[in-house]
Amino acid sequence: MTLGSIRNELVIERSADQVWELAGDASRLHEWFPGIVSLDMDGNKRTIHLAGGLSMPEDIVIDDKISRRFEYSITMPVFVFHRGTIDVIALEENRCMVVYACEADPRTMALIIGGGCYRALQELKRQMELQPAKAAN
Amino acid sequence: MGRKILFITTDQQRYDTLGCNGGTVARTPVADRLAREGIRYERAVPQSVVCMPSRSTIITGQAPSTHGVWMNGVPLPADAPSVAQVLKDAGYKTALIGKPHFEPFLDPFAAFAENRFAGGEPVNGHRGFDHFLAATHGAAGPLAYSRFILTEHPEFAGGFYPVLDGTLEVNAMGGGETGMPQLWNNPIPKELYHTDWCADQAISWLDSLDKDDDFFLWLSFPDPHHPQDVPNSELGRINWRDLDLPAAYPTNRTQREAILDGKPKHWRMWYDGTLVSNYEAPASWVPSTLTEDQIREFTAYNAIACELIDEAIGRVFAALSARGIEDDVDIIFSTDHGDLGGDFGLAFKGPYHVDGLMRLPLIWKPAKNANVAPSVVAAPVGLVDLAPTFCQIAGIAAPSWMEGKSLPVSEADAEARNFERVLTEWDSELFGVAMHLRTITRDNWVLTAYLPGTTSDGTDGELYNLSEDPNQFTNLWSDPSVAAMKADLLDDLWAHQPKQVTPLRPLVAPV
């Protein structure tokens, strides 16, 4: 099996809607994903630029604001397959779970990208919980 | 002015690669002299047999369960305890030159400081080091040695073996004359190879100090870890065709496979290519295909790497002499773990707690003014004991977070201070395969208990009598004649487990 799968999740003490405002905005990934220094958007295409010097082109596959699910695929040649998924799941009025999953072939890339996703979730939680809680929509 | 500390590590070096330990292939006169003039340890045992956990043990003085680097790819937190910080706080000048690997190498997000320093980020006393110049096994990646090759000698960058393949798995591609995986002919001149580069950088840093400065220099050679790609110019040192096979390699295939069948089943599964339990060995390589000539060629290249290190440390010692400080320096030489090196028909490393991986070279030559007589210590000691040893050399109390104790200077000292047992751990959970081992080395016995995992229900294990079975051919785990010893060792193993950091820290990279 060459497909690797990594899932990171954590609970954020803010509403799902408030977290989705940032986590679901494809153009703001670099604001909370450590190691992504900038990005370019062109329709459903996104290119992220990494602190290590690499740039990775991506296709945005799903941007579902109702179920709060965002999916994208890194399309650079080293990946036979990649799918990144961010789910923001409401738990309580001001509490949600964010799941950031990564599947990749080669499987080692799932570990490397998944490690970045882990740190991104930590940073997302830090930033969100510094913000005042917004009233639920 | 106190005692200065030169701490030399290699990477993945077997005990039997030094002449002073009975090795007959590599010529290591510098290490041999160090052993004659200092303390040679005959049973130095790592707390993990892979790099990141073991190196984290060295710098923290803690077992892997305690420092939390439970497998390769789990970073040691930047604010983890560090003996270098303790020494720096005591006034020592501190440097790490060579392979650090407290943090993952595969780091496209530049998340880890080790990977950013060569790009200009200030070291700022990272882990207690004033000076930090990193190198690893080739010219790829963001470390200082890689940048040196890529910017000043780019014509040699492509001559190193590609450690990883196109899928970022450990490469199984073969080279040399036998097609041995991870073995390669490298056109780089000796003086540009990372072994000499590390020694050169160490000498330069020593030259930057005042004569009276106390220092802690960790000189960390990336070799003889695979790949075996020493400079071509050095290959004439040893003719691999002349070499004997390792004592732990039964040439009779039936006998070899029967030995493997007597061990927990992941041994034979790896040998047959039906299970690769860990990242550190080539994923697509099947050990049962390993030939006698491949083992010989590996042994020769590996021995040449050891000879180059020996000569390099000789140059560093000469620099100490030239500065007139050789009598003020404590020198400790060791490694992070061993290599299977053909034993049982296997190579590289993994969850296999036998001497190839577990018995390490360790030599300590105290400064002359310490008035310590040369000796040989047979009692088991661990790499966890290094950090408190550095503290003792510096004349400062070991912090309470260190779990080891300063190394004994004689067999009598070992007995007086109860150096009875050393514990080793293996944990890995990678791509759906989980392995968990707990090992005790005591009284010339080695016992490994398996916790539940992919190939174990938690009832199997290994037990070897090192006195009667130095190659660990016969697993006595189920032998009723040694049941009492097994029970005693198990009780001792579980009674002395280090504290466990929970939850486990996340795995964020393969290595």
Side-chain angles (χ1 to χ4, degrees):
Chain A
M1 187 189 300
T2 60
L3 191 68
S5 177
I6 300 292
R7 186 188 67 227
N8 296 290
E9 68 272 323
L10 53 68
V11 170
I12 297 180
E13 301 295 336
R14 290 294 180 270
S15 72
D17 285 336
Q18 186 172 349
V19 172
W20 177 254
E21 272 185 32
L22 178 58
D25 187 338
S27 68
R28 298 179 66 191
L29 180 67
H30 60 301
E31 294 180 22
W32 58 279
F33 198 121
I36 297 179
V37 293
S38 63
L39 57 81
D40 302 315
M41 295 292 301
D42 182 11
N44 71 336
K45 306 281 188 189
R46 180 172 70 178
T47 301
I48 59 172
H49 306 290
L50 309 189
L54 275 177
S55 291
M56 291 185 172
E58 299 172 333
D59 286 344
I60 295 169
V61 181
I62 293 174
D63 184 2
D64 184 339
K65 294 174 174 51
I66 296 170
S67 64
R68 301 187 202 91
R69 163 168 278 202
F70 182 84
E71 288 191 17
Y72 63 102
S73 174
I74 301 173
T75 57
M76 69 189 301
V78 70
F79 288 88
V80 176
F81 171 82
H82 170 265
R83 181 63 55 88
T85 307
I86 303 169
D87 283 301
V88 181
I89 303 162
L91 298 177
E92 296 173 30
E93 186 175 337
N94 275 310
R95 195 162 199 249
C96 68
M97 172 175 282
V98 185
V99 182
Y100 199 157
C102 173
E103 295 175 342
D105 179 1
R107 61 185 187 173
T108 47
M109 293 305 294
L111 267 183
I112 296 168
I113 302 298
C117 299
Y118 169 80
R119 290 185 295 275
L121 277 189
Q122 307 292 317
E123 176 61 15
L124 179 67
K125 178 179 173 71
R126 189 191 69 80
Q127 289 190 23
M128 295 310 304
E129 293 182 353
L130 282 175
Q131 292 181 9
K134 294 181 180 175
N137 291 334
Chain B
M1 191 177 72
R3 289 156 65 182
K4 309 170 198 308
I5 303 169
L6 172 57
F7 176 44
I8 301 164
T9 51
T10 62
D11 193 355
Q12 200 165 303
Q13 184 171 4
R14 291 171 61 98
Y15 177 84
D16 56 13
T17 55
L18 295 183
C20 57
N21 290 338
T24 57
V25 183
R27 288 155 297 188
T28 56
V30 178
D32 299 347
R33 180 181 169 196
L34 201 65
R36 281 195 306 276
E37 296 177 350
I39 305 148
R40 183 174 65 83
Y41 298 86
E42 292 189 327
R43 186 55 67 179
V45 179
Q47 280 53 76
S48 168
V49 297
V50 290
C51 299
M52 291 181 68
S54 186
R55 289 163 183 271
S56 297
T57 287
I58 292 172
I59 197 169
T60 63
Q62 298 176 335
S65 286
T66 307
H67 59 58
V69 181
W70 54 282
M71 66 179 288
N72 273 344
V74 178
L76 182 68
D79 60 355
S82 165
V83 68
Q85 185 66 53
V86 173
L87 295 167
K88 180 177 166 65
D89 291 344
Y92 273 66
K93 302 285 178 64
T94 55
L96 190 151
I97 294 169
K99 185 178 174 185
H101 210 187
F102 309 113
E103 299 161 13
F105 286 140
L106 293 177
D107 181 20
F109 300 105
F112 301 107
E114 284 176 12
N115 300 320
R116 299 195 299 262
F117 295 144
E121 180 168 308
V123 175
N124 282 340
H126 183 62
R127 301 195 189 283
F129 292 105
D130 303 317
H131 185 69
F132 201 105
L133 269 183
T136 186
H137 311 292
L143 304 184
Y145 175 70
S146 308
R147 285 181 185 257
F148 163 71
I149 292 295
L150 290 170
T151 58
E152 298 190 33
H153 301 282
E155 69 275 21
F156 296 116
F160 288 91
Y161 179 84
V163 180
L164 305 181
D165 63 19
T167 65
L168 300 184
E169 300 280 1
V170 174
N171 207 333
M173 179 174 64
E177 295 180 72
T178 64
M180 175 69 191
Q182 293 274 326
L183 186 145
W184 200 246
N185 290 346
N186 187 347
I188 194 167
K190 173 179 173 291
E191 60 272 20
L192 299 180
Y193 190 60
H194 42 72
T195 297
D196 271 10
W197 181 87
C198 288
D200 291 343
Q201 299 304 318
I203 292 166
S204 292
W205 184 74
L206 289 168
D207 285 344
S208 74
L209 304 180
D210 291 333
K211 190 176 173 186
D212 289 341
D213 284 340
D214 291 332
F215 65 78
F216 172 67
L217 169 56
W218 184 346
L219 173 53
S220 177
F221 293 102
D223 264 359
H225 187 293
H226 57 275
Q228 306 299 327
D229 59 355
V230 292
N232 285 342
S233 60
E234 308 308 307
L235 296 180
R237 291 168 180 249
I238 298 169
N239 184 346
W240 62 265
R241 292 178 179 80
D242 295 339
L243 299 183
D244 294 330
L245 290 163
Y249 177 80
T251 54
N252 180 294
R253 176 176 286 268
T254 302
Q255 182 193 0
R256 190 163 69 241
E257 295 177 352
I259 290 168
L260 293 171
D261 287 339
K263 300 177 185 297
K265 58 187 174 188
H266 70 295
W267 283 81
R268 182 64 193 264
M269 292 173 76
W270 184 36
Y271 176 82
D272 288 337
T274 58
L275 176 79
V276 181
S277 63
N278 57 296
Y279 180 78
E280 291 80 12
S284 59
W285 174 63
V286 178
S288 62
T289 64
L290 184 66
T291 68
E292 294 182 0
D293 279 350
Q294 285 179 329
I295 295 173
R296 289 188 179 96
E297 194 174 28
F298 162 85
T299 304
Y301 277 56
N302 187 271
I304 292 167
C306 294
E307 289 192 358
L308 295 179
I309 291 169
D310 199 70
E311 290 162 17
I313 64 176
R315 288 200 294 119
V316 177
F317 295 172
L320 297 176
S321 297
R323 292 176 61 78
I325 58 172
E326 61 181 319
D327 291 345
D328 304 327
V329 183
D330 280 68
I331 300 169
I332 296 184
F333 176 95
S334 192
T335 191
D336 55 353
H337 56 80
D339 191 304
L340 284 165
D343 292 353
F344 313 103
L346 305 171
F348 311 110
K349 57 196 170 185
Y352 311 98
H353 285 177
V354 289
D355 270 8
L357 293 175
M358 292 262 289
R359 191 180 190 189
L360 309 183
L362 173 61
I363 303 167
W364 174 18
K365 182 189 172 190
K368 190 168 273 187
N369 60 22
N371 294 316
V372 176
S375 68
V376 175
V377 172
V381 300
L383 298 185
V384 71
D385 298 321
L386 289 169
T389 303
F390 300 142
C391 292
Q392 187 239 310
I393 292 169
I396 51 183
S400 59
W401 40 262
M402 290 185 184
E403 296 177 326
K405 46 194 177 185
S406 63
L407 287 166
V409 296
S410 66
E411 196 66 5
D413 185 28
E415 187 174 348
R417 294 198 289 128
N418 300 315
F419 278 83
E420 291 179 79
R421 70 187 66 75
V422 179
L423 305 185
T424 306
E425 310 170 25
W426 174 285
D427 291 293
S428 60
E429 294 179 0
L430 186 67
F431 303 130
V433 178
M435 301 295 301
H436 303 285
L437 287 63
R438 296 292 182 271
T439 296
I440 182 169
T441 302
R442 198 199 73 188
D443 294 334
N444 272 324
W445 289 78
V446 175
L447 176 143
T448 298
Y450 284 66
L451 304 176
T454 298
T455 63
S456 175
D457 63 2
T459 62
D460 51 351
E462 297 173 65
L463 178 61
Y464 303 107
N465 182 336
L466 297 175
S467 301
E468 297 179 2
D469 180 21
N471 296 317
Q472 295 110 71
F473 282 165
T474 306
N475 182 9
L476 301 172
W477 180 262
S478 300
D479 185 336
S481 71
V482 293
M485 174 57 77
K486 174 184 167 185
D488 187 46
L489 288 167
L490 276 171
D491 286 348
D492 205 7
L493 172 68
W494 299 128
H496 289 91
Q497 285 300 296
K499 64 184 176 188
Q500 173 84 51
V501 172
T502 54
L504 292 179
R505 296 206 181 97
L507 177 68
V508 298
V511 68

